[in-house]
Amino acid sequence: MNKGKKLYEGKAKIIYETKEKGLAIQHFKDDATAFNNKKKATVEGKGVLNNRISEHILNNLNQVGIKNHLVKRLNMREQLIKLVEIIPIEVIVRNIATGSLTKRLGVTDGTVLEKPLIEFCYKKDELDDPLIAKEHIFAFNWATKEEIKIIEEMTFRINDFMSGMFRGIGIKLVDFKLEFGRIWNNDQKEVILADEISPDTCRLWDIKSEKKLDKDRFRKDLGNIIQAYQEVARRLGIVPETTNVSEVNFKKPTSINIKKR
Ligand code: UDP
């Protein structure tokens, strides 16, 4: 599959066009950012791991009927995806209170929520992705009522599936972020899951030790970022393919290599 021109470059991924109508290539970079780009670094091997982990989760979601943009993984860093019209909303799902929720509302960190909480943020880097109410989505036509209903239903199903999947490998799914997009299907617009699901976009705690196995290791300078992502991949049973020295070694934890930028 030949890569065409760059369509979009985000903080952790690049989207390239392809010759095939409606398809694009999603490339996972090693760049890590936090606190709205104020903290930046390169974490060697992160893109390879996120590519594999996201492929695994999206394939599993597809098997339980959650339509998503993944067509197939192409190589260590790239996936063939359906090109969607992205809905400019980040859907946050929380099972346990932590992060911005605890800061915003003074809720004790680690409080288990009685039922999953869905929050919406407006996807706008210049504004720090502000928290919004559902009414803002309709007021500014970011999505229709029908689309939000579908998104909420899909989100609860994704949370149920992923919570079970992670529980089975000794990991608590604390919270995560989803993005959705529209595709044309027989002259009708359809909402599907897009973007990625990985330790960059989820909070994952080891059930016994509560050790963080996600991007909080970078946000909070906890170290061993790649080892934590590798641990998630290992527990998910993702078998490594042949790697070369410049890529991540799945078998032996490599020494962490963060280049401050
Ligand atoms: N999240 C994300 N991208 C964002 C914002 C949040 O992937 O731009 C994920 C984050 O990794 C966490 C969940 O969404 O799993 C909730 O994040 P929170 O609102 O607590 O944000 P933070 O504490 O990172 O500011």
Side-chain angles (χ1 to χ4, degrees):
M1 183 65 61
N2 285 334
K3 254 193 321 223
K5 70 167 194 280
K6 200 191 274 185
L7 293 175
Y8 166 83
E9 178 155 7
K11 286 172 267 187
K13 294 185 296 291
I14 307 172
I15 308 290
Y16 296 95
E17 69 175 18
T18 66
K19 287 206 179 75
E20 274 200 60
K21 201 171 169 276
L23 296 182
I25 290 174
Q26 173 166 257
H27 175 103
F28 288 76
K29 300 191 282 183
D30 281 344
D31 296 353
T33 64
F35 313 119
N36 197 37
N37 249 339
K38 284 177 199 87
K39 182 172 179 173
K40 285 188 202 175
T42 304
V43 181
E44 207 176 296
K46 179 176 78 77
V48 175
L49 284 158
N50 282 350
N51 184 18
R52 295 299 303 258
I53 294 170
S54 193
E55 173 205 16
H56 179 86
I57 296 175
L58 265 57
N59 271 339
N60 274 278
L61 288 171
N62 188 44
Q63 280 164 20
V64 296
I66 309 281
K67 289 193 183 166
N68 62 66
H69 75 162
L70 179 67
V71 178
K72 62 174 179 181
R73 187 171 59 83
L74 295 170
N75 55 48
M76 302 272 280
R77 288 191 181 270
E78 291 171 335
Q79 305 180 339
L80 187 64
I81 56 164
K82 290 180 186 162
L83 194 59
V84 302
E85 175 189 302
I86 206 86
I87 296 173
I89 292 164
E90 295 192 337
V91 180
I92 310 278
V93 190
R94 300 179 184 278
N95 297 306
I96 297 175
T98 193
S100 68
L101 176 70
T102 55
K103 290 192 199 96
R104 212 184 319 125
L105 303 179
V107 180
T108 309
D109 197 276
T111 305
V112 177
L113 303 173
E114 259 175 49
K115 51 182 185 168
L117 174 67
I118 294 188
E119 294 176 334
F120 299 100
C121 293
Y122 179 39
K123 223 173 114 61
K124 196 86 176 162
D125 280 343
E126 307 91 280
L127 302 174
D128 275 1
D129 299 340
L131 182 74
I132 50 169
K134 235 191 263 184
E135 281 66 27
H136 291 105
I137 300 174
F138 308 136
F140 301 110
N141 291 317
W142 292 324
T144 64
K145 287 204 168 129
E146 294 70 35
E147 285 173 334
I148 291 299
K149 190 167 171 272
I150 292 167
I151 286 173
E152 284 181 325
E153 281 167 10
M154 284 173 82
T155 298
F156 281 122
R157 285 193 60 207
I158 293 167
N159 185 44
D160 280 350
F161 178 82
M162 281 178 45
S163 294
M165 180 185 77
F166 279 117
R167 197 177 309 115
I169 55 169
I171 292 173
K172 283 191 226 182
L173 178 61
V174 174
D175 59 25
F176 59 100
K177 188 253 319 182
L178 298 174
E179 292 184 27
F180 293 85
R182 304 179 184 99
I183 51 164
W184 286 96
N185 202 349
N186 298 327
D187 288 345
Q188 282 221 308
K189 270 191 181 176
E190 188 182 15
V191 173
I192 63 169
L193 176 66
D195 195 47
E196 69 173 294
I197 302 181
S198 71
D200 265 10
T201 64
C202 301
R203 283 200 176 92
L204 304 168
W205 294 353
D206 179 77
I207 283 182
K208 283 196 197 125
S209 66
E210 301 227 315
K211 184 179 161 188
K212 296 180 200 307
L213 300 171
D214 56 61
K215 201 168 118 178
D216 270 354
R217 301 207 73 81
F218 170 68
R219 291 189 189 97
K220 295 171 182 271
D221 291 323
L222 299 174
N224 293 345
I225 307 171
I226 280 298
Q227 285 83 349
Y229 285 39
Q230 279 178 328
E231 176 66 13
V232 173
R234 191 190 62 76
R235 290 198 204 177
L236 284 170
I238 298 169
V239 184
E241 62 185 47
T242 319
T243 53
N244 68 48
V245 280
S246 65
E247 295 292 8
V248 68
N249 182 341
F250 284 77
K251 286 189 187 116
K252 279 184 259 130
T254 48
S255 61
I256 177 173
N257 188 358
I258 298 186
K259 294 181 206 121
K260 285 252 156 44
R261 290 192 291 134

